[in-house]
Amino acid sequence: MQLWFPFVLGFDLLRIHSFKAVVHKQEYYTKSRASFYGSPDGYGVSRGACGFGEYGRMINSGSVAAVSGLWRNGAACGTCYQVRCKIAEYCDANGANVVVTDYGAGDRTDFIMSPRAFSQLGRNKAASEKLKKYGVLDIEYKRVPCRYSGNVLFHVQESSNNPGYFAVILLNVNGKYDVTAVELWQKERRQWEPLRRVYGAVFDFANPPTGELSLRFQITYPKGYTKWVYPKTPIPAYWKPGATYDTKLQLN
């Protein structure tokens, strides 16, 4: 299934493409525990703590997870992990690749997975049903690069109100980067001003300037190195709540 985005679109038009995780054998796994939550169709939930809405329910074909210790004040939102269990007769060797879309704490768990993600831990359907009966599993995990088709996107939160209040989320951030800051260029003051991280992946700015909005965002590499990234196009002056705008930029 292809990922397709017009320049402006609502989540009702969104077609989500699954990411492909790149696994490096030399990287170490961390031992932990995982459980799963209930949802009628096995997908994620649209009211997750990241603020992703319907995107968070359907991204990666619904193979998503809530995290606790990995939350990092919301910087975990949109990051990707490989999770696998170790019960030889039931567990698949590759396990599940999940996208973080929510916060959730359980019985010493680092991951509370959607039913679709948890089922992927099993070698087959019968094995997956056996694993579900455990409720909580010992697992091992490691972070893997996200691989999204298409450019990084700015989604304007539905709570926004042009021109009085602006809130935004970054989507489709490839690689193993955390989005740690977003700033807006104030033309009259000739300086960058920070947006506030409201919760999860949502950044906001009260009383934004009129006209086009030029944003930049900071990504943090796993070893702590940071870099500012500059989208190739601004958000147009006629921006609307619920709309998604293409940055014309891809991260490797």
Side-chain angles (χ1 to χ4, degrees), residues 3-224:
L3 178 70
W4 170 80
F5 292 100
F7 183 70
V8 181
L9 73 168
F11 277 146
D12 57 329
L13 299 180
L14 208 57
R15 300 179 186 177
I16 303 300
H17 177 77
S18 300
F19 77 88
K20 295 181 180 179
V22 177
V23 178
H24 299 284
K25 293 182 179 179
Q26 69 270 23
E27 294 180 356
Y28 293 101
Y29 289 88
T30 300
K31 292 182 179 180
S32 185
R33 286 156 60 85
S35 185
F36 65 97
Y37 57 83
S39 63
D41 53 10
Y43 288 93
V45 294
S46 59
R47 297 184 62 84
C50 288
F52 285 151
E54 188 66 8
Y55 177 95
R57 194 177 81 86
M58 298 297 293
I59 185 66
N60 195 35
S61 299
S63 185
V64 297
V67 297
S68 52
L70 299 170
W71 181 244
R72 301 190 303 282
N73 193 35
C77 291
T79 58
C80 302
Y81 289 87
Q82 181 191 19
V83 180
R84 63 187 189 184
C85 59
K86 300 297 289 181
I87 305 174
E89 62 267 40
Y90 299 139
C91 295
D92 181 83
N94 293 316
N97 294 321
V98 298
V99 178
V100 176
T101 59
D102 203 355
Y103 176 89
D107 179 14
R108 294 178 287 121
T109 59
D110 271 312
F111 294 88
I112 302 179
M113 306 167 72
S114 68
R116 283 177 173 251
F118 198 83
S119 293
Q120 291 173 20
L121 297 177
R123 300 177 64 175
N124 50 46
K125 185 176 181 180
S128 295
E129 292 302 316
K130 292 281 188 181
L131 292 176
K132 285 184 177 180
K133 292 181 180 179
Y134 282 83
V136 180
L137 291 174
D138 291 325
I139 56 99
E140 59 183 16
Y141 70 89
K142 67 178 176 180
R143 187 164 176 182
V144 293
C146 295
R147 290 286 181 261
Y148 299 112
S149 174
N151 298 328
V152 178
L153 304 168
F154 283 129
H155 176 72
V156 180
Q157 281 291 91
E158 285 73 8
S159 59
S160 301
N161 179 22
N162 192 350
Y165 175 72
F166 176 72
V168 69
I169 288 180
L170 274 76
L171 306 177
N172 284 16
V173 178
N174 280 324
K176 290 198 293 184
Y177 312 120
D178 292 346
V179 176
T180 48
V182 181
E183 292 187 344
L184 184 150
W185 176 248
Q186 289 278 39
K187 187 176 181 180
E188 292 183 358
R189 300 177 184 177
R190 299 193 62 78
Q191 66 183 27
W192 291 98
E193 294 197 14
L195 276 70
R196 176 185 63 143
R197 187 190 288 272
V198 190
Y199 66 92
V202 182
F203 294 83
D204 76 349
F205 195 95
N207 300 313
T210 57
E212 296 180 336
L213 301 181
S214 295
L215 301 178
R216 69 177 184 176
F217 59 95
Q218 185 183 69
I219 56 174
T220 300
Y221 294 75
K223 293 185 178 180

